[in-house]
Amino acid sequence: YDSTNSKVVIAWGNSGGSNGRAVVGTVSGTSIGFNGSTVQFNASTTTYIKAVYDSTNEKVVITYRDDGNSDYGTAIVGTVSGDSISFGSEVVFNSANTYGGDPVYDSTNGKVVIAYTDAGNSSHGTAIVGTVSGTSISFGTAVVFESASANDISATYDSTNQKVVIAYQDDGDSDKGKAIVGTVSGTSISFGSTVEFESDITSYISATYDSTNGKIVIAYRDES
């Protein structure tokens, strides 16, 4: 949701992922209209697409795996104008096979944090901090938050405590559900200790922040 322009931006892989596209939607009453054209942001097969809104810079940031560029983790900045969206250049944030990336916006520090599985590093759970400037984004150094295979990663931002919370499946510990708190400082992020929230096999994890009650809610499938 682009709160500045009161628009919804949808990003997807067109025709089974043949290319990445986005479109701007306008909500009216109980309906939504798409008056602008779809815009291509990546010409290759595009998967694991997620989007987040940077309210400080008033930009949409889309993250994805660029299957046409060695499956690298990639991000691009979009600018909404009226019923359309335009994009800057694609920026690689992980030069290896990347999947399950989930971006979140840290409104306190004005940063985008991407949590992802780095298949180029034994599928470790990894996070990286991005800074939007104009129509581009730059990244700090990637930080491993789980030194084992981490899947089904979902990130959210706790604005009360000014922390990033990442929930994931720990493949190195019988696929249990784990969560960890990250603190952004400059262009880096540091982490506390992991906490187990489900002792059985956990999948389809989705985390969100309840700003009214100041709580993190994690939904998932318990496969026990």
Side-chain angles (χ1 to χ4, degrees), residues 76-145:
I76 197 165
V77 175
T79 306
V80 172
S81 178
D83 293 316
S84 188
I85 185 169
S86 59
F87 291 98
S89 299
E90 298 172 271
V91 178
V92 171
F93 64 83
N94 186 43
S95 299
N97 185 0
T98 306
Y99 59 94
D102 195 21
V104 64
Y105 181 62
D106 178 337
S107 56
T108 302
N109 294 287
K111 303 292 183 180
V112 173
V113 178
I114 307 171
Y116 59 95
T117 301
D118 185 358
N121 184 29
S122 304
S123 296
H124 288 176
T126 309
I128 196 166
V129 176
T131 305
V132 172
S133 178
T135 59
S136 189
I137 185 169
S138 59
F139 292 97
T141 302
V143 178
V144 172
F145 63 82

Side-chain angles (χ1 to χ4, degrees), residues 137-185:
I137 185 169
S138 59
F139 292 97
T141 302
V143 178
V144 172
F145 63 82
E146 176 54 64
S147 297
S149 178
N151 302 304
D152 288 348
I153 293 173
S154 181
T156 190
Y157 181 65
D158 179 335
S159 55
T160 301
N161 293 290
Q162 302 175 3
K163 303 290 182 181
V164 174
V165 177
I166 302 172
Y168 61 97
Q169 178 199 72
D170 186 354
D171 191 45
D173 188 17
S174 304
D175 294 334
K176 295 176 181 178
K178 303 281 185 73
I180 195 166
V181 174
T183 304
V184 172
S185 178

Side-chain angles (χ1 to χ4, degrees), residues 1 14 21 27 32-33 38 50 64 79 87 101 108 114 116 136 141 173 211 215:
Y1 179 64
N14 194 43
R21 290 185 171 271
V27 174
I32 185 169
T38 61
K50 291 288 185 71
Y64 52 96
T79 306
F87 291 98
T108 302
I114 307 171
Y116 59 95
S136 189
T141 302
D173 188 17
S211 57
K215 303 291 182 181

